[in-house]
Structure formats: structure tokens, C-alpha cells
Amino acid sequence: MLELSTPVKFVKRVGERIAAGLATRGVETVEDLLYHLPFRYEDRLNPQPMAELVAGSMASVIGEVRGSALLRTRSGPIFEMTLGQGLGTVKCIWFHGTYLKDKFKLGQMVAVYGELEPSRSAMAAAAAGSLGAASGRFKMIQPQFEILPEPGATGSDAEFAMLEMGRIVPVYESLGGTTPWGAKLTSKWMRRVVWSIFEELMEGKPSGAPSMTASPSWVGSTSPEPVPETLPAALLRRLHLPSRLEALKAVHFPEAGTPMLELMSSTTPAHRRLIFEELFYLELGLSLKRRRMRERVGTAFTTGPSVREAIKQVLPFHPTAAQKRVLGEIVADMRRPQPMRRLLQGDVGSGKTIVAMQAAIIAMENGAQAALMAPTEILATQHYLSARKLLTGAVSPRTGQPYRIALLTGSLDPAAKRQTQGRIMRGESQFIIGTHALQEDKAGFSNLGLVIVDEQHRFGVQQRFKLMKKPGADGIATDPDVLAMTATPIPRTLALTLYGDLELSVIDQMPPGRTPIVTRRTTGEHAAEVWEFVRKQVSQSRQAYLVYPVIEGSKDDQPELDFPHDEEPASESPSQPATRTASASSSRQRTVSLKGTASAVPKNVPRKTAALAAEGKFSTRKSAKTDNLFATKTKLRSATEMFDDLRTGALAGLRLGLLHGRLSADEKEVTMARFNRGEIDVLVATTVIEVGVDVANASVMVIDHAERFGLAQMHQLRGRVGRGAAKSFCILMTGENVTPQAEARLDAMVATQDGFALAELDLTQRGPGEFFGTRQTGLPEFRVANLLRDRAALELAKVEAERFAARPDPAIPPDQLAAVWARLKHQWQRRYALVEA
Ligand code: ADP
Ligand code: MG
């Protein structure tokens, strides 16, 4: 007999071979299969009459095959099939459709799904002013299709005819893998499998839906329930949500009369129940983690008058109200005996550094060490220099001595590194600034009280935890306070999940005296004007950045850091070269995001392509081809080439510098220092300068091939200018092949400087999984929930989880409580292992 935990290979129609394919998609058990929800539904009970169809919409249509033909054209074979219903027709067209040659028989009933376009004859009729335009002649390019069972069908086709006809039919994304005879796992296959699973699960059980009341699925039942409930009955009752079994049945095989709109938007009670369940357990886990953190031992720092005095003497300017507020929140945390876990969020240039420095002084004035970790050597070095500048001349009221600051990066020579590590270990260094080298095992601290992580989003979530857990060399098991900082405005939904274990502080105000940055778009053809503009700015003693997507040639396969996600252009037909501007992440994005539910399909994937890909009819071949990140015929301008070009060409006479990640640390430091001192007019760079670089005199940021940059990245880059009082400019220069998604990004950059607005757009374009780039591994993958769509459900789940963790409803019987904790353990360990790390 089947149970939820039964391996899929024991399910009818699955077997070893298919099971192996399913395993690659993370589907291992019956439960996994049941949580692979349909991503859309077709109403085959009330199919839309062709006469009511509207061009331009996505539609599912049922009709009979009136004819088909394979046409040879210069661009390849095209298969046409005409579907009819009364006077109406839909002509279906498949490029490279040779494989469909013998697929359809005259008179066969077929269901197709795709975007309706007016057919040419209909358009001609419309142009001629004839009413014939309304007669229902349409075409569909590359529709999905399903041949419906014939009335006289025999065998399993007859048995399952009721799953395909006369009802609301679920449509699934293909799970990949193939049948032993090499066929794709279609929706039809999925329906039959899921149906059989329900039949087997319910074998010997009283038929009908289980009741929503407290009994029988929990209490006093000796026979195991086929689909054990995972949420307390009292909670379900209060939220008006159905049982787990009912919900699963209803999402796969909706009852007649279920509103199609609710089904398609995943808002039926059944959907809401499954989404809530998933988010509830996530939030419960996070909530427990926060609670456990509060039980840990940290340092209770004091902030008496002498500490205040210490801070006051170094502050170079009046903090903004927002800076004061967040410092207050940080200080309150630091005074508590529990370790601080706080995320400080503030847009580029909002002044997070000085807040961090103040926190560091508090730690030092309490006799503890403070560490500041930055994602790049350039930034670490810059922080080191500005910390020295800030603290030079300052005397610690506690020791009567100057503060002792150290820089620890990976590129220090071994001897120097050992020396620095020795000073850190002996407690001679008080403020240690560095890269992830700080996490190396030998870097023991004598008394680490505060860890500041700058540009947190550039580190993986795991790294964040690794540093936190480092024990002090003296063996005392206190946790240091942790302040993570990020300029990436994190939409609340993500903050609640990815950073759900951190408290949040936000700097929502810019330091005074900033003038807005003027952002303009232009194309590579107008480069001469751009260089003219740069010259003019330099002649006014300003400095400029020129940023390129790659270091060397267009064949450069090593883009700087986590170069993001440029989508390939919407290919209407597979005959177009798939490699035009494709990048590895675009294909990765597609495969990843299609794993979820319907609306997990990001907006940047054309609906048609997405639908096809979802059915597994279209995507794999293309994705495989696009895997080479820079398999592009387009000529990409690169930092190194342009540096050579401009130096002797358009910008001859100006002092140019080159900066990228492949230079040695010394070279980087020298160049950065020279730019800082104004000895370089124009810094030609890659995205190494994306974070942290702070040169107030720079007033121009030119981003070349801006179409290849993600929103967050462009916003960060733009934030490098506009740091002084001078008017600043950001010029977005594009190459060829600007996709519609890139267009949207560029328009948004011109339209707003609000990091939050850009982040929201970024999130919708890329989907949560890609939002932080591929380095960020901590985001849990959801089976049914979708963070873009289910924000409200997430908020509800958080509230309910908090409540449950604090004090479960006394009405919940002990066995139900136990079941929740058991489920949490199971789910947390299996699915969110990374978050737990
Ligand atoms: P970010 O938040 O991006 O790390 P920074 O901390 O680098 O921003 O600050 C940006 C610039 O603004 C720095 O040059 C800093 O000295 C300056 N700044 C920060 N706070 C203030 C303030 N309250 N008044 C004036 N200038 C400030
Ligand atoms: Mg910063």
C-alpha cells in the first residue's frame, strides 16, 4: 500500500527509470509528486466557443482536426494543423514541426493552448471592412496540444478518459525525465499517475473527504491516515482552510464549478492551504531560530559618558536623523546580554559606514575587539584607510592611547599575515578590517565582541554564519554581536525569509547636500559625445568612472564577480539562433524558476515560450546551447581594450587608470589610491568598483553595455557618483541586442533613483532565486509558495508562526503539537538545510 513516504518508483506507471529522472528534479517520494502542482488548468467542461475567442489572449480551445500539412520553407519545415469548431477555425503552426507529421488524424478532437492571433484571412477581411473578421478565424504559433481520447477508446485510454474530458483539467510542467520508450512525461501522464496515487492512498478508507474537525485524522485513530494532517485542526478552523488531503485532491482535480480565476491565480482554499502550510513551517523555523539566539550568551556592552565622548571626538559631521535612529537601535542591542543579530539596510551613499564605525568604537571602549569584513580587497583597504583617517589623533578615554587598527586580506605576504594574526590573537589590534581572510581558521581573535559585515549580500548566507560562530581564543563561549550591512534594498518578503533570523534597521534618508544624479541613456554609436562630455567634466576638475562588463576580449569567459542574468531575447521561433546574447544565468534562471508554480514563471520569459518550456517541449535543447556564458557573436567592449583605445584615442591627454579583479592587490590599491587623490581622471573598470568605493569628487559614471547589467548592479554603480555637492551624471550606454527586459531596466534606471522601487522591479524580473545572484545560496526553494505572489500569505504565516512558537493555542491536543514539531524537523532539515547551516 502506498504512503506519502513511499519512493516514487513503486508508483504505478513510474518504475526505476522514470524515478531516476524524477530524482534529478528532487521528486523522490509520493509526497513530492503530490506537491508538484498544476501550473494552470483548462476548463474542458465549459470550453470556450470559437466564436467568443478574442485575439491577443491566451486561450485553450477544443476542436476537431480539419486538416494538416508539412510545408517546406526556406527557413525550415513548418507544420500546420487546422482545428475547427462550427464556422470557426484556429490554424496551429509549429516551426520545425516535422515530428508532428503523423500525429493528427482527421476528425480527431484536440485541445490546444496558446496565444490567439488573428489569421491572415481574418485580417484581410477586417481590412476590407467585412464583418467576416468576427467569424472566428485565428492562428496559434507553437501551441501546446493534447489529443483527446476518442469515444471508442479502449484500455487505459478509456479508463482515464474522464481525466481529460468534461472537467477542469490540470496542466503540469514537465518533470523532465522520460518514459522507458523515450517519451516525455506529459501532463496526461501526470494526471494518470496522480489519480492512481489517490486511488491507492484511499484504498480501504471510507470514501469522501475527511472532516475538518479535530478528530478522526488525529485522535484515537489506530489505522494510519493516508495523508496525515500537518497543521493543528484548531488553526485550520480559525483560518477556514481545508485539510491537507482535501487540499491536495482539490488542486489536482478541482471539482466542477471551482472558479477558473481562483484556480489560475492559486487562490482557491486548497491552494491557500498548501501555500500557508509551506510558509508557516518556514516562519516557524525562523522564529525558533530567533528564540534560540535570544538564549545565547553575548556581551552586554556599556555606553557611559566616556563612550559617548569617544564617539563625539571622531564624528566628522552631524549624523542624519536616520543615522541617529539606527545607531540607537544598534546600541540598544549591544547593551543587551544576548548577541546582536541585526541587518542594517541603507541605500548606496546613505552613510552606513560611519554608523558601523561608531559601533566599533563602542566595542573597543568596552575592551573588546571589533572586526569589519568586506567582500573585496579594494573595499577592505578603503575601509582601513578611512578608519585610520577617522581615528587618527583620537585617544581612547579608556586606555588613554590611540586606537590600534589592522588590515588583514588574503593577499598579504605570509610573513606579514602571520604578524598581523599574532597581533590580533594577542589582542594588540583592536579594530580589524579585512576580507573573508578574517574567517580563515588561523585568524583567532583574543576578544572578539563585534563583527560588522559590509555589503552583506555579496557574501553567501553561510559565510555570514561561519564568522558568527567563531569562538574566541580564550575559549569563552560568548557570541560576538553581528551587524550586517547591505545597500541592496531587500523587499520585505525576502527580508522575512532569507534574513528572517535578523532584526532590521533601515537608513531611509540621504546625508544633506546631495544633488540628484542625472541619468541618461545613449547607444554605443554616440560614444564620441560621451567622451566629449567626460572631457568637459574632467576639465572642471571632476573625475569619471567607465565601467565595462568584461575584463578582456569579447571571448572573455570570466566576467567580473557575479555577473548577472541577461536574458536571451524572446525567440519566437526556435529557428532563430539561441546564442545571440544568451548567458548561462539566463538559462539557469529559466530552468530554476520554471520549477515552481505558474506564476513562478518570471515576466521576462515570454508567456508562449514559458508555457512551451513548461511542457518540456521546447526548453532543454535551447538551454543546453546557451550554457556558455559568452557564446556570443556580438562584439563586447571590454575594460582592457577600451582602456588602451581611449588612452591613445578619444581620451588622449587625460590621466586614465585601469582597475579590475585580475590585477594584483598591490596594483589595485595603488590605482585606487591614485584615483582617490585625484591623480587619475578617468577610471576604466569592471564591476569591482560596484561596492563601497567612495570618491566624492567623481561626478560621472558611464556604464557601457548597460543592457548586460542587472538593476541592482547598475544602481550600485550609479551610487559611486553623486557623493559630493557637485552635479553628477550616470550615462547608460548600450550595445546591440537590447532585450525588452533590458529596456525595462534601463527605463527604470532613468525614471527613478529609489533603490526600493528598483529592487521590486528587479525581483519581478528575475524571481527571488536570482535576486541576489547565484552566490546567494540561502534562499529556500518552495514547492508551492511563490514569494512574489504570496506576500500576504507570508505575512499571515509569520504572525501565526510567532504565535505558535510563543504559546501554542491551549485547544491544540498534545499529539497535534508533537506532529507539528516532528514536521518542522523533517521539513527544516530536508529543505532548508542551507539556512540552518
Ligand atoms: P554607504 O551607505 O553606501 O556605505 P557611505 O558610508 O560610504 O555610504 O557614505 C557615503 C558618503 O556620505 C561618505 O563620503 C560619507 O562620508 C558621507 N556621509 C555619511 N553620513 C554623512 C552625514 N551625516 N553628513 C554628511 N556626509 C555624510
Ligand atoms: Mg558602504
Side-chain angles (χ1 to χ4, degrees):
M1 202 193 82
L2 286 187
E3 286 177 29
L4 286 186
S5 56
T6 308
V8 275
K9 68 174 178 196
F10 297 117
V11 173
K12 253 187 229 160
R13 282 164 215 282
V14 179
E16 297 275 359
R17 174 163 171 165
I18 294 181
L22 293 178
T24 65
R25 290 287 303 265
V27 175
E28 282 161 10
T29 63
V30 167
E31 173 174 331
D32 294 337
L33 212 45
L34 288 185
Y35 276 86
H36 182 61
L37 304 192
F39 82 108
R40 65 178 180 85
Y41 298 84
E42 285 183 16
D43 189 353
R44 294 189 193 160
L45 181 59
N46 308 294
Q48 233 181 330
M50 280 193 193
E52 288 174 14
L53 298 177
V54 186
S57 63
M58 299 296 287
S60 79
V61 180
I62 294 177
E64 58 172 2
V65 177
R66 296 259 172 95
S68 66
L70 185 66
L71 313 174
R72 307 254 160 219
T73 72
R74 214 175 304 148
S75 54
I78 293 178
F79 185 76
E80 288 190 358
M81 186 268 283
T82 304
L83 215 53
Q85 190 197 86
L87 287 176
T89 58
V90 174
K91 183 180 274 183
C92 303
I93 295 163
W94 288 271
F95 300 102
H96 296 275
T98 315
Y99 64 101
L100 294 170
K101 196 160 52 88
D102 303 314
K103 194 90 188 171
F104 304 102
K105 290 196 273 283
L106 278 180
Q108 217 169 24
M109 294 303 285
V110 175
V112 291
Y113 177 79
E115 186 174 343
L116 278 174
E117 299 172 27
S119 79
R120 212 178 298 158
S121 54
M123 284 193 290
S130 146
L131 284 176
S135 71
R137 269 176 282 166
F138 299 95
K139 66 176 179 189
M140 270 188 196
I141 313 285
Q142 313 271 124
Q144 296 174 43
F145 69 89
E146 218 171 87
I147 297 169
L148 301 181
E150 293 178 28
T154 52
S156 75
D157 268 3
E159 187 187 333
F160 287 109
M162 47 89 191
L163 293 180
E164 331 270 298
M165 300 280 278
R167 68 182 309 140
I168 297 176
V169 177
V171 182
Y172 299 89
E173 286 168 15
S174 178
L175 275 171
T178 49
T179 61
W181 51 95
K184 283 260 158 59
L185 301 180
T186 58
S187 277
K188 201 182 212 170
W189 174 86
M190 213 17 223
R191 273 172 227 142
R192 293 174 185 202
V193 168
V194 174
W195 184 263
S196 318
I197 289 177
F198 279 123
E199 282 206 321
E200 276 202 60
L201 284 174
M202 301 312 295
E203 227 163 63
K205 304 285 166 207
S207 63
S211 81
M212 257 174 63
T213 54
S215 20
S217 57
W218 295 88
V219 187
S221 154
T222 44
S223 73
E225 278 300 312
V227 179
E229 182 50 85
T230 51
L231 292 171
L235 181 61
L236 291 178
R237 256 199 316 273
R238 187 154 53 75
L239 300 178
H240 303 288
L241 293 174
S243 77
R244 189 171 177 221
L245 176 59
E246 271 181 314
L248 282 171
K249 271 179 153 177
V251 289
H252 288 287
F253 301 107
E255 303 218 340
T258 311
M260 283 301 286
L261 267 179
E262 285 183 19
L263 282 169
M264 297 295 265
S265 59
S266 302
T267 53
T268 64
H271 280 99
R272 285 191 288 111
R273 138 89 214 203
L274 296 174
I275 291 164
F276 176 81
E277 173 186 347
E278 184 161 48
L279 297 174
F280 175 79
Y281 277 99
L282 171 72
E283 289 301 334
L284 188 58
L286 289 170
S287 156
L288 284 189
K289 222 164 145 181
R290 281 192 297 266
R291 282 168 174 274
R292 241 178 283 145
M293 188 54 69
R294 271 175 242 146
E295 287 157 15
R296 299 261 276 273
V297 181
T299 315
F301 293 109
T302 57
T303 50
S306 76
V307 177
R308 276 166 221 277
E309 195 44 47
I311 289 178
K312 243 196 204 143
Q313 64 165 336
V314 303
L315 266 187
F317 33 62
H318 288 294
T320 61
Q323 283 171 321
K324 276 189 203 151
R325 192 192 66 238
V326 299
L327 184 66
E329 290 163 1
I330 292 166
V331 167
D333 278 3
M334 291 180 76
R335 292 169 57 94
R336 272 187 212 114
Q338 293 86 24
M340 166 167 77
R341 292 292 179 271
R342 187 166 283 277
L343 180 67
L344 173 57
Q345 188 177 304
D347 211 344
V348 194
S350 62
K352 296 182 290 294
T353 316
I354 193 69
V355 175
M357 299 275 176
Q358 294 177 74
I361 292 174
I362 296 175
M364 290 190 281
E365 284 306 315
N366 278 268
Q369 289 174 308
L372 169 58
M373 188 165 78
T376 64
E377 294 204 345
I378 294 176
L379 183 52
T381 309
Q382 180 160 314
H383 276 322
Y384 172 68
L385 295 174
S386 51
R388 276 217 326 216
K389 205 164 121 197
L390 191 74
L391 299 177
T392 295
V395 172
S396 161
R398 188 179 71 90
T399 62
Q401 307 238 326
Y403 296 100
R404 292 185 306 270
I405 313 167
L407 177 66
L408 186 68
T409 64
S411 64
L412 283 183
D413 70 69
K417 200 180 213 168
R418 266 197 308 277
Q419 271 184 4
T420 306
Q421 286 171 336
R423 280 197 296 274
I424 297 171
M425 209 144 30
R426 291 190 299 273
E428 291 162 21
S429 298
Q430 298 170 283
F431 191 10
I432 301 95
I433 299 171
T435 54
H436 54 274
L438 285 182
Q439 297 187 90
E440 284 171 20
D441 282 336
K442 273 179 263 165
F445 291 84
S446 121
N447 181 18
L448 183 61
L450 172 69
V451 176
I452 302 158
V453 186
D454 194 20
E455 307 292 350
Q456 208 288 308
H457 59 284
R458 298 295 289 265
F459 294 96
V461 166
Q462 286 145 305
Q463 283 190 344
R464 164 157 66 97
F465 285 100
K466 207 170 143 198
L467 189 63
M468 286 186 206
K469 283 185 180 159
K470 180 176 278 308
D474 56 2
I476 295 175
T478 52
D479 277 43
D481 281 354
V482 176
L483 177 65
M485 306 198 290
T486 181
T488 304
I490 303 165
R492 187 172 157 77
T493 36
L494 287 189
L496 284 181
T497 46
L498 190 52
Y499 295 102
D501 54 335
L502 303 181
E503 311 289 337
L504 189 66
S505 286
V506 182
I507 302 184
D508 52 4
Q509 179 185 23
M510 284 289 171
R514 299 281 168 87
T515 40
I517 302 164
V518 178
T519 304
R520 292 273 182 275
R521 279 184 63 175
T522 185
T523 61
E525 282 137 42
H526 294 88
E529 293 159 40
V530 175
W531 308 140
E532 202 42 51
F533 181 75
V534 168
R535 279 182 168 283
K536 219 167 110 197
Q537 287 285 309
V538 171
S539 74
Q540 294 165 15
S541 318
R542 302 274 166 235
Q543 290 162 283
Y545 300 95
L546 310 182
V547 176
Y548 292 88
V550 286
I551 299 175
E552 249 145 304
S554 52
K555 291 207 182 63
D556 198 338
D557 59 348
Q558 281 197 304
E560 203 66 86
L561 301 165
D562 47 355
F563 179 75
H565 56 265
D566 213 280
E567 314 77 14
E568 59 192 284
S571 275
E572 285 300 324
S573 100
S575 62
Q576 285 176 347
T579 44
R580 283 196 301 191
T581 60
S583 72
S585 13
S586 79
S587 49
R588 207 180 311 128
Q589 170 184 5
R590 171 164 305 175
T591 27
V592 169
S593 44
L594 284 175
K595 245 188 244 174
T597 52
S599 38
V601 175
K603 288 213 177 94
N604 57 1
V605 179
R607 271 180 304 173
K608 210 175 299 172
T609 319
L612 288 164
E615 282 286 87
K617 292 198 170 98
F618 192 60
S619 66
T620 36
R621 190 169 46 97
K622 275 173 64 96
S623 324
K625 251 200 212 163
T626 59
D627 261 336
N628 183 355
L629 185 53
F630 280 84
T632 165
K633 286 176 201 136
T634 319
K635 173 98 180 81
L636 267 191
R637 292 178 288 273
S638 71
T640 310
E641 287 170 331
M642 289 308 288
F643 172 71
D644 289 334
D645 260 32
L646 292 168
R647 196 159 51 147
T648 51
L651 296 181
L654 304 191
R655 295 166 301 173
L656 266 59
L658 176 66
L659 193 67
H660 59 70
R662 252 180 257 164
L663 297 174
S664 75
D666 284 349
E667 286 172 299
K668 278 188 271 191
E669 193 179 328
V670 167
T671 305
M672 210 46 236
R674 291 182 57 213
F675 189 67
N676 248 313
R677 291 196 299 265
E679 294 165 16
I680 290 175
D681 301 314
V682 179
L683 189 61
V684 181
T686 57
T687 52
V688 278
I689 61 153
E690 177 187 334
V691 287
V693 172
D694 181 32
V695 177
N697 189 51
S699 63
V700 186
M701 165 64 63
V702 180
I703 305 177
D704 198 0
H705 285 297
E707 77 279 5
R708 303 187 64 98
F709 290 84
L711 265 175
Q713 215 167 16
M714 280 194 280
H715 181 62
Q716 287 271 353
L717 286 169
R718 176 166 61 183
R720 298 305 117 215
V721 297
R723 297 181 157 240
K727 188 162 186 183
S728 290
F729 305 86
C730 175
I731 301 168
L732 306 171
M733 196 150 63
T734 52
E736 297 156 36
N737 297 330
V738 183
T739 63
Q741 297 74 44
E743 285 289 343
R745 291 199 295 270
L746 295 166
D747 287 346
M749 281 291 293
V750 173
T752 180
Q753 229 168 291
D754 177 347
F756 265 99
L758 294 172
E760 293 279 336
L761 176 65
D762 203 14
L763 183 61
T764 31
Q765 270 207 359
R766 290 200 276 166
E770 287 280 311
F771 183 77
F772 287 97
T774 45
R775 293 173 160 230
Q776 196 75 28
T777 47
L779 193 69
E781 260 189 44
F782 296 108
R783 296 199 288 197
V784 286
N786 174 324
L787 291 184
L788 293 183
R789 181 192 65 198
D790 302 324
R791 292 173 189 215
L794 184 67
E795 300 279 353
L796 176 68
K798 184 178 160 72
V799 171
E800 290 298 339
E802 281 286 354
R803 198 161 149 176
F804 189 88
R807 202 174 72 89
D809 187 342
I812 302 172
D815 57 339
Q816 293 190 16
L817 284 179
V820 170
W821 298 125
R823 178 79 182 162
L824 176 68
K825 211 170 155 216
H826 170 83
Q827 181 137 341
W828 197 248
Q829 274 171 358
R830 182 168 164 207
R831 312 237 343 270
Y832 308 133
L834 283 173
V835 179
E836 183 71 328

